[in-house]
Amino acid sequence: QVQLVESGGGLVQAGGSLRLSCAASGRTFSGYAMGWFRQAPGKEREFVAQIRWSGGRTYYADSVKGRFTISRDNAKNTEYLQMNSLKPEDTAVYYCAAATRTTRYDAWGQGTQVTVSA
């Protein structure tokens, strides 16, 4: 079983930056991908970014492309989400996730709140 723990959320003004971290522990895996999702109040959870385990290719939602960067440190079993030029509409709970066996995400963190003030 893989455990994921996010950190780095908080309150920031519009235009500011935050870096989220996601530490993975438990069963060692290579898996398919790791990613970030977010859920704003009253809205469905949505995809934010993904990094493939093999090759490190990255994918982004159109709403964050050019502002957010996903990365990982294999030695530390940690992935990151660098968020720049934040907007109030980025306010949400951000979740780290891992696809450990197939393309389906099957491990989730508890979430970290990101609030962007206007």
Side-chain angles (χ1 to χ4, degrees):
Q1 189 76 11
V2 174
Q3 291 82 42
L4 303 174
V5 179
E6 304 99 333
S7 60
L11 173 65
V12 64
Q13 289 188 330
S17 298
L18 282 174
R19 188 176 81 155
L20 305 183
S21 300
C22 174
S25 62
R27 181 176 63 86
T28 301
F29 71 101
S30 58
Y32 175 73
M34 292 192 74
W36 290 94
F37 292 75
R38 68 186 182 186
Q39 187 167 19
K43 294 188 176 181
E44 297 287 323
R45 184 171 60 192
E46 65 176 1
F47 168 78
V48 175
Q50 180 190 75
I51 183 164
R52 296 283 177 88
W53 203 266
S54 176
R57 189 168 182 176
T58 58
Y59 301 86
Y60 298 93
D62 288 343
S63 59
V64 307
K65 204 171 293 184
R67 301 187 298 122
F68 291 10
T69 302
I70 188 172
S71 62
R72 66 166 192 256
D73 184 331
N74 290 343
K76 295 182 179 179
N77 277 343
T78 300
E79 72 160 350
Y80 304 95
L81 186 69
Q82 178 66 43
M83 306 185 294
N84 298 329
S85 303
L86 282 161
K87 305 175 181 180
E89 51 263 43
D90 294 318
T91 295
V93 177
Y94 284 71
Y95 297 90
C96 169
T100 65
R101 297 181 178 87
T102 68
T103 59
R104 186 178 71 89
Y105 284 95
D106 55 0
W108 294 85
Q110 82 286 353
T112 186
Q113 177 70 47
V114 171
T115 303
V116 184
S117 63

